[in-house]
Amino acid sequence: MIALFVIVIMGLLAAAMGRFLLDSSEKNTLEVRSVRALMAAQSGLEIGLYRLYPNDHWDAQQCAALTAIPFAVPGLVDCNVVLTCKPVVVSAAGGTQTGYSFQSTGACGHSDVNSPNPDFAVSRTLVAQAFDGVMP
C-alpha cells in the first residue's frame, strides 16, 4: 500500500514538473518572438524613413508607396511589417509645415487556430513622425 502511494505521488510530481517545463518553453518562445516583432517594427520605421528621405533629399511621393515589407534576413524570418504613412500638417513658429506620421506593425509567428498545434503570433506597433525641417 505504501509503495502504491509513493508511485502515485512520484507520478504526480513528474507530471507537474513536465507541465512546468512546457510552460517555461512557451514563455521563452513568446519572449523571443516579442523581441523579434519589436525589431521588425523598428526596421520597418527605418526603411520608411529612408525611403521618404533618401540621400539627403525629401521625397514626399514615397509616402503613399510604403506598404507591407517581408523580411528575408535570418533573424527576422517569418516576420513581416505593415507600414503606413500619412501626411500631417503642423503649425509652428507662425507657419504651417507638412510632416509625415509613420505606423509600423511588426508581426512574427503564425496563428492557425485550425491546426492541431496553433503557434504563437506576436505583434508590436511603433509610431514615429518626421518633418523636413523647412518652414514655408
Side-chain angles (χ1 to χ4, degrees), residues 89-110:
V89 178
V90 176
S91 297
T96 60
Q97 181 180 11
T98 301
Y100 297 92
S101 177
F102 293 94
Q103 180 175 344
S104 177
T105 302
C108 294
H110 304 285

PDB file of all heavy atoms in Angstrom, residues 89-110:
ATOM      1  N   VAL A  89      -0.224  67.938 -40.948  1.00  0.00           N
ATOM      2  CA  VAL A  89       0.027  69.374 -41.026  1.00  0.00           C
ATOM      3  C   VAL A  89       0.163  69.902 -39.601  1.00  0.00           C
ATOM      4  O   VAL A  89      -0.699  69.675 -38.760  1.00  0.00           O
ATOM      5  CB  VAL A  89      -1.106  70.099 -41.777  1.00  0.00           C
ATOM      6  CG1 VAL A  89      -0.859  71.587 -41.809  1.00  0.00           C
ATOM      7  CG2 VAL A  89      -1.241  69.537 -43.185  1.00  0.00           C
ATOM      8  N   VAL A  90       1.273  70.613 -39.351  1.00  0.00           N
ATOM      9  CA  VAL A  90       1.564  71.119 -38.019  1.00  0.00           C
ATOM     10  C   VAL A  90       1.812  72.617 -38.101  1.00  0.00           C
ATOM     11  O   VAL A  90       2.470  73.095 -39.015  1.00  0.00           O
ATOM     12  CB  VAL A  90       2.812  70.415 -37.434  1.00  0.00           C
ATOM     13  CG1 VAL A  90       3.180  70.992 -36.097  1.00  0.00           C
ATOM     14  CG2 VAL A  90       2.565  68.929 -37.334  1.00  0.00           C
ATOM     15  N   SER A  91       1.280  73.352 -37.127  1.00  0.00           N
ATOM     16  CA  SER A  91       1.542  74.791 -37.028  1.00  0.00           C
ATOM     17  C   SER A  91       2.680  75.007 -36.055  1.00  0.00           C
ATOM     18  O   SER A  91       2.648  74.515 -34.929  1.00  0.00           O
ATOM     19  CB  SER A  91       0.298  75.523 -36.539  1.00  0.00           C
ATOM     20  OG  SER A  91      -0.744  75.382 -37.462  1.00  0.00           O
ATOM     21  N   ALA A  92       3.690  75.748 -36.505  1.00  0.00           N
ATOM     22  CA  ALA A  92       4.831  76.048 -35.638  1.00  0.00           C
ATOM     23  C   ALA A  92       5.449  77.364 -36.074  1.00  0.00           C
ATOM     24  O   ALA A  92       5.597  77.639 -37.262  1.00  0.00           O
ATOM     25  CB  ALA A  92       5.877  74.935 -35.734  1.00  0.00           C
ATOM     26  N   ALA A  93       5.809  78.201 -35.092  1.00  0.00           N
ATOM     27  CA  ALA A  93       6.500  79.465 -35.330  1.00  0.00           C
ATOM     28  C   ALA A  93       5.753  80.339 -36.328  1.00  0.00           C
ATOM     29  O   ALA A  93       6.342  80.959 -37.202  1.00  0.00           O
ATOM     30  CB  ALA A  93       7.934  79.213 -35.790  1.00  0.00           C
ATOM     31  N   GLY A  94       4.444  80.367 -36.226  1.00  0.00           N
ATOM     32  CA  GLY A  94       3.649  81.233 -37.090  1.00  0.00           C
ATOM     33  C   GLY A  94       3.421  80.697 -38.479  1.00  0.00           C
ATOM     34  O   GLY A  94       2.841  81.378 -39.318  1.00  0.00           O
ATOM     35  N   GLY A  95       3.841  79.507 -38.792  1.00  0.00           N
ATOM     36  CA  GLY A  95       3.634  78.932 -40.112  1.00  0.00           C
ATOM     37  C   GLY A  95       3.158  77.499 -40.005  1.00  0.00           C
ATOM     38  O   GLY A  95       3.081  76.931 -38.918  1.00  0.00           O
ATOM     39  N   THR A  96       2.823  76.940 -41.142  1.00  0.00           N
ATOM     40  CA  THR A  96       2.416  75.535 -41.158  1.00  0.00           C
ATOM     41  C   THR A  96       3.473  74.720 -41.883  1.00  0.00           C
ATOM     42  O   THR A  96       4.171  75.219 -42.768  1.00  0.00           O
ATOM     43  CB  THR A  96       1.056  75.339 -41.841  1.00  0.00           C
ATOM     44  OG1 THR A  96       1.153  75.805 -43.176  1.00  0.00           O
ATOM     45  CG2 THR A  96      -0.041  76.056 -41.096  1.00  0.00           C
ATOM     46  N   GLN A  97       3.555  73.496 -41.482  1.00  0.00           N
ATOM     47  CA  GLN A  97       4.555  72.600 -42.058  1.00  0.00           C
ATOM     48  C   GLN A  97       3.917  71.231 -42.253  1.00  0.00           C
ATOM     49  O   GLN A  97       3.138  70.775 -41.424  1.00  0.00           O
ATOM     50  CB  GLN A  97       5.748  72.500 -41.112  1.00  0.00           C
ATOM     51  CG  GLN A  97       6.857  71.617 -41.600  1.00  0.00           C
ATOM     52  CD  GLN A  97       8.005  71.561 -40.597  1.00  0.00           C
ATOM     53  OE1 GLN A  97       7.898  72.016 -39.472  1.00  0.00           O
ATOM     54  NE2 GLN A  97       9.100  70.984 -41.014  1.00  0.00           N
ATOM     55  N   THR A  98       4.268  70.562 -43.348  1.00  0.00           N
ATOM     56  CA  THR A  98       3.763  69.213 -43.595  1.00  0.00           C
ATOM     57  C   THR A  98       4.817  68.213 -43.158  1.00  0.00           C
ATOM     58  O   THR A  98       5.966  68.287 -43.564  1.00  0.00           O
ATOM     59  CB  THR A  98       3.430  68.997 -45.082  1.00  0.00           C
ATOM     60  OG1 THR A  98       2.449  69.947 -45.463  1.00  0.00           O
ATOM     61  CG2 THR A  98       2.911  67.595 -45.325  1.00  0.00           C
ATOM     62  N   GLY A  99       4.373  67.304 -42.323  1.00  0.00           N
ATOM     63  CA  GLY A  99       5.242  66.216 -41.887  1.00  0.00           C
ATOM     64  C   GLY A  99       4.563  64.903 -42.212  1.00  0.00           C
ATOM     65  O   GLY A  99       3.517  64.872 -42.861  1.00  0.00           O
ATOM     66  N   TYR A 100       5.139  63.830 -41.746  1.00  0.00           N
ATOM     67  CA  TYR A 100       4.600  62.514 -42.044  1.00  0.00           C
ATOM     68  C   TYR A 100       4.590  61.678 -40.779  1.00  0.00           C
ATOM     69  O   TYR A 100       5.544  61.674 -40.005  1.00  0.00           O
ATOM     70  CB  TYR A 100       5.417  61.841 -43.146  1.00  0.00           C
ATOM     71  CG  TYR A 100       5.339  62.617 -44.419  1.00  0.00           C
ATOM     72  CD1 TYR A 100       6.282  63.593 -44.711  1.00  0.00           C
ATOM     73  CD2 TYR A 100       4.294  62.435 -45.302  1.00  0.00           C
ATOM     74  CE1 TYR A 100       6.192  64.352 -45.860  1.00  0.00           C
ATOM     75  CE2 TYR A 100       4.189  63.188 -46.442  1.00  0.00           C
ATOM     76  CZ  TYR A 100       5.144  64.138 -46.725  1.00  0.00           C
ATOM     77  OH  TYR A 100       5.034  64.890 -47.857  1.00  0.00           O
ATOM     78  N   SER A 101       3.486  60.970 -40.576  1.00  0.00           N
ATOM     79  CA  SER A 101       3.335  60.093 -39.428  1.00  0.00           C
ATOM     80  C   SER A 101       3.410  58.645 -39.910  1.00  0.00           C
ATOM     81  O   SER A 101       2.651  58.235 -40.789  1.00  0.00           O
ATOM     82  CB  SER A 101       1.991  60.353 -38.747  1.00  0.00           C
ATOM     83  OG  SER A 101       1.807  59.456 -37.679  1.00  0.00           O
ATOM     84  N   PHE A 102       4.338  57.904 -39.344  1.00  0.00           N
ATOM     85  CA  PHE A 102       4.521  56.500 -39.691  1.00  0.00           C
ATOM     86  C   PHE A 102       3.967  55.613 -38.588  1.00  0.00           C
ATOM     87  O   PHE A 102       4.153  55.899 -37.406  1.00  0.00           O
ATOM     88  CB  PHE A 102       6.010  56.164 -39.838  1.00  0.00           C
ATOM     89  CG  PHE A 102       6.669  56.818 -41.000  1.00  0.00           C
ATOM     90  CD1 PHE A 102       7.336  58.017 -40.838  1.00  0.00           C
ATOM     91  CD2 PHE A 102       6.633  56.234 -42.245  1.00  0.00           C
ATOM     92  CE1 PHE A 102       7.955  58.618 -41.898  1.00  0.00           C
ATOM     93  CE2 PHE A 102       7.247  56.831 -43.312  1.00  0.00           C
ATOM     94  CZ  PHE A 102       7.912  58.034 -43.145  1.00  0.00           C
ATOM     95  N   GLN A 103       3.315  54.536 -38.981  1.00  0.00           N
ATOM     96  CA  GLN A 103       2.929  53.496 -38.037  1.00  0.00           C
ATOM     97  C   GLN A 103       3.433  52.176 -38.598  1.00  0.00           C
ATOM     98  O   GLN A 103       3.090  51.791 -39.702  1.00  0.00           O
ATOM     99  CB  GLN A 103       1.422  53.432 -37.835  1.00  0.00           C
ATOM    100  CG  GLN A 103       1.021  52.349 -36.857  1.00  0.00           C
ATOM    101  CD  GLN A 103      -0.461  52.362 -36.553  1.00  0.00           C
ATOM    102  OE1 GLN A 103      -1.160  53.326 -36.825  1.00  0.00           O
ATOM    103  NE2 GLN A 103      -0.932  51.282 -35.986  1.00  0.00           N
ATOM    104  N   SER A 104       4.260  51.517 -37.823  1.00  0.00           N
ATOM    105  CA  SER A 104       4.879  50.271 -38.249  1.00  0.00           C
ATOM    106  C   SER A 104       4.447  49.157 -37.301  1.00  0.00           C
ATOM    107  O   SER A 104       4.664  49.248 -36.091  1.00  0.00           O
ATOM    108  CB  SER A 104       6.405  50.427 -38.233  1.00  0.00           C
ATOM    109  OG  SER A 104       7.028  49.213 -38.573  1.00  0.00           O
ATOM    110  N   THR A 105       3.819  48.120 -37.850  1.00  0.00           N
ATOM    111  CA  THR A 105       3.384  46.977 -37.049  1.00  0.00           C
ATOM    112  C   THR A 105       4.162  45.756 -37.499  1.00  0.00           C
ATOM    113  O   THR A 105       4.006  45.290 -38.626  1.00  0.00           O
ATOM    114  CB  THR A 105       1.873  46.732 -37.207  1.00  0.00           C
ATOM    115  OG1 THR A 105       1.180  47.910 -36.815  1.00  0.00           O
ATOM    116  CG2 THR A 105       1.425  45.564 -36.351  1.00  0.00           C
ATOM    117  N   GLY A 106       5.020  45.264 -36.615  1.00  0.00           N
ATOM    118  CA  GLY A 106       5.797  44.061 -36.892  1.00  0.00           C
ATOM    119  C   GLY A 106       5.097  42.858 -36.299  1.00  0.00           C
ATOM    120  O   GLY A 106       4.648  42.887 -35.158  1.00  0.00           O
ATOM    121  N   ALA A 107       4.995  41.779 -37.062  1.00  0.00           N
ATOM    122  CA  ALA A 107       4.339  40.548 -36.596  1.00  0.00           C
ATOM    123  C   ALA A 107       5.239  39.365 -36.898  1.00  0.00           C
ATOM    124  O   ALA A 107       5.801  39.268 -37.987  1.00  0.00           O
ATOM    125  CB  ALA A 107       2.992  40.377 -37.267  1.00  0.00           C
ATOM    126  N   CYS A 108       5.356  38.464 -35.925  1.00  0.00           N
ATOM    127  CA  CYS A 108       6.149  37.244 -36.088  1.00  0.00           C
ATOM    128  C   CYS A 108       5.323  36.052 -35.635  1.00  0.00           C
ATOM    129  O   CYS A 108       4.586  36.139 -34.655  1.00  0.00           O
ATOM    130  CB  CYS A 108       7.430  37.307 -35.268  1.00  0.00           C
ATOM    131  SG  CYS A 108       8.582  38.566 -35.812  1.00  0.00           S
ATOM    132  N   GLY A 109       5.487  34.941 -36.335  1.00  0.00           N
ATOM    133  CA  GLY A 109       4.766  33.719 -35.996  1.00  0.00           C
ATOM    134  C   GLY A 109       3.473  33.613 -36.780  1.00  0.00           C
ATOM    135  O   GLY A 109       3.046  34.544 -37.453  1.00  0.00           O
ATOM    136  N   HIS A 110       2.868  32.445 -36.710  1.00  0.00           N
ATOM    137  CA  HIS A 110       1.612  32.172 -37.405  1.00  0.00           C
ATOM    138  C   HIS A 110       0.601  31.661 -36.398  1.00  0.00           C
ATOM    139  O   HIS A 110       0.930  30.873 -35.521  1.00  0.00           O
ATOM    140  CB  HIS A 110       1.806  31.117 -38.496  1.00  0.00           C
ATOM    141  CG  HIS A 110       2.858  31.482 -39.481  1.00  0.00           C
ATOM    142  ND1 HIS A 110       2.660  32.422 -40.454  1.00  0.00           N
ATOM    143  CD2 HIS A 110       4.129  31.060 -39.618  1.00  0.00           C
ATOM    144  CE1 HIS A 110       3.770  32.545 -41.166  1.00  0.00           C
ATOM    145  NE2 HIS A 110       4.676  31.726 -40.673  1.00  0.00           N
TER     146      HIS A 110
END
